[in-house]
Amino acid sequence: MGAPVSTAIPGQIAQRGLITINRASTYAIMTDSNLPPDPRLKQQAHYSRQEVVSALTDFYEFLATLPHIDPSAIDHAPPGGWPEITRESLAKRDIHKPDEVSELLRRLPYIRGEVGERFNWMAPECFACDWRLVNRPDLRPAAPWLHHNSRARWEWPEWVVQLAAGRDREQWVLLLDTSDGTVTRYYASYYVYKPTYPVGDPRSWRDQCCDETLPIREFLDKWRRKYVDMEWLGIPNEKLSAIRTGWIPYDEEYDEGDDSDDEDDDSQPEGQWAEDTTDLVRIYKEHGWPHDFKRDECRRALLEWKRAQPDYVKNIDYD
């Protein structure tokens, strides 16, 4: 393995205590697979553009079976890639990516909706980034995540791609590492992991994130499971977050003082229903969730429920 680069040059990572690395040299090291096994992964992961596109496509199409994402809002890249996304259009926003990353952005599927105050929600307080907006200079106030991807603001290596952004102060940010095809979630409020990478390791930027690192398909499958288990419940036409927390699994925060045997890691975690989602759970179940789901009928029932709420405000609805 080549020696890690630590000489200070322009364009290096310098925020949040991240290590100083030569990005171009490190990307070559990463893609050459000369690094030791990743301590966060059970087995070695590999980057594939086709796999990233396929995993996102499958997840977006799953979202389209839910009441809050319109199937017609999912756009797939034309044969030559999205013409709006070029090295030139990225550079105009001071966004500079390796060639493979730029080409990946041209090939990804996107969900329309991130215009004004309407968002394409994929998780609580989290919406999918539409990189086609890079060619819409009029949207800068409404797409601050693009501004944060500029070289002056970007806190991560240039081979890392932002797939999702958040609207709340915690910032649900999904970061795809194109060196190995893994995804790590950044959450502004806290860190979960102690440092897992040695000083100088180009993967050590992940130590500033708060969630586990997983291959992209495995990560998105865990999010899919949260919908299936009704931990997350989608609501149509919401200006604010369209994902409500339904089932809340117990974890260490709720289990303090619990002396019960917890050696069986494969058991279904216990939990409780969030009090404010009882009606939503009922509506989903009445419409066959998850095995015989009648999406359109459920969507209409959810809209009727929403309009009957005391805090309903008509001008935030999007019919």
Side-chain angles (χ1 to χ4, degrees):
M1 170 182 156
V5 180
S6 60
T7 304
I9 60 171
Q12 294 167 329
I13 308 171
Q15 300 180 31
R16 294 189 182 275
L18 298 182
I19 59 171
T20 302
I21 55 177
N22 181 309
R23 300 183 177 191
S25 298
T26 305
Y27 189 63
I29 292 172
M30 295 277 286
T31 54
D32 285 343
S33 301
N34 292 324
L35 293 169
D38 194 310
R40 293 192 180 190
L41 301 177
K42 295 179 180 178
Q43 59 186 13
Q44 187 175 1
H46 301 279
Y47 168 74
S48 162
R49 184 197 306 167
Q50 292 75 16
E51 172 62 10
V52 172
V53 172
S54 175
L56 270 180
T57 298
D58 290 347
F59 184 66
Y60 287 172
E61 290 182 349
F62 166 75
L63 291 180
T65 68
L66 303 174
H68 71 285
I69 294 291
D70 192 321
S72 66
I74 300 175
D75 294 332
H76 302 279
W82 298 109
E84 306 97 317
I85 305 173
T86 64
R87 295 193 68 180
E88 292 72 23
S89 62
L90 291 168
K92 286 181 180 179
R93 289 185 177 269
D94 196 27
I95 299 173
H96 306 276
K97 298 289 187 183
D99 290 344
E100 171 57 31
V101 175
S102 299
E103 190 59 30
L104 172 66
L105 295 176
R106 288 171 46 80
R107 305 289 176 167
L108 291 179
Y110 294 110
I111 308 178
R112 275 177 286 113
E114 189 193 340
V115 176
E117 290 294 319
R118 188 174 185 179
F119 294 87
N120 37 34
W121 302 107
M122 57 190 296
E125 303 293 348
C126 174
F127 61 91
C129 293
D130 185 348
W131 279 88
R132 296 172 299 179
L133 300 181
V134 72
N135 207 31
R136 292 278 303 275
D138 58 307
L139 289 181
R140 174 173 173 176
W145 65 267
L146 272 176
H147 180 56
H148 286 285
N149 273 266
S150 66
R151 176 171 285 173
R153 301 290 300 276
W154 187 235
E155 303 177 23
W156 319 106
E158 290 178 350
W159 63 83
V160 174
V161 175
Q162 184 173 353
L163 296 178
R167 290 210 66 202
D168 62 353
R169 62 183 181 182
E170 281 79 15
Q171 302 180 40
W172 281 52
V173 178
L174 284 194
L175 299 171
L176 168 71
D177 193 325
T178 62
S179 69
D180 61 3
T182 61
V183 169
T184 309
R185 183 171 67 95
Y186 169 74
Y187 193 69
S189 292
Y190 59 87
Y191 300 151
V192 170
Y193 285 97
K194 295 180 180 179
T196 52
Y197 301 94
V199 175
D201 191 308
R203 299 167 296 190
S204 63
W205 64 268
R206 299 171 187 168
D207 285 336
Q208 306 301 316
C209 298
C210 70
D211 209 345
E212 59 190 342
T213 297
L214 292 171
I216 183 171
R217 186 174 293 278
E218 186 176 345
F219 190 101
L220 294 176
D221 281 347
K222 292 189 72 170
W223 276 19
R224 182 200 304 253
R225 192 76 233 170
K226 289 181 180 294
Y227 284 106
V228 173
D229 294 341
M230 292 194 288
E231 289 184 39
W232 294 347
L233 296 160
I235 306 174
N237 296 359
E238 284 283 290
K239 176 180 177 180
L240 303 178
S241 179
I243 314 299
R244 301 282 183 90
T245 300
W247 180 253
I248 305 175
Y250 293 144
D251 56 24
E252 307 84 56
E253 293 179 338
Y254 298 94
D255 290 340
E256 292 181 352
D258 185 0
D259 296 325
S260 61
D261 185 5
D262 60 356
E263 292 182 358
D264 185 4
D265 294 332
D266 295 329
S267 62
Q268 179 69 28
E270 296 182 353
Q272 64 181 13
W273 292 109
E275 293 182 1
D276 61 344
T277 54
T278 303
D279 289 340
L280 299 179
V281 171
R282 174 183 54 78
I283 292 171
Y284 265 80
K285 288 183 175 181
E286 286 178 350
H287 291 86
W289 185 261
H291 302 298
D292 186 28
F293 188 53
K294 300 175 179 60
R295 176 194 180 276
D296 293 341
E297 291 88 340
C298 183
R299 184 178 186 278
R300 288 193 289 269
L302 288 170
L303 287 172
E304 291 178 6
W305 168 86
K306 186 176 67 171
R307 291 165 183 160
Q309 301 310 299
D311 59 350
Y312 172 70
V313 179
K314 184 175 182 179
N315 63 6
I316 69 171
D317 205 11
Y318 291 97
D319 285 343

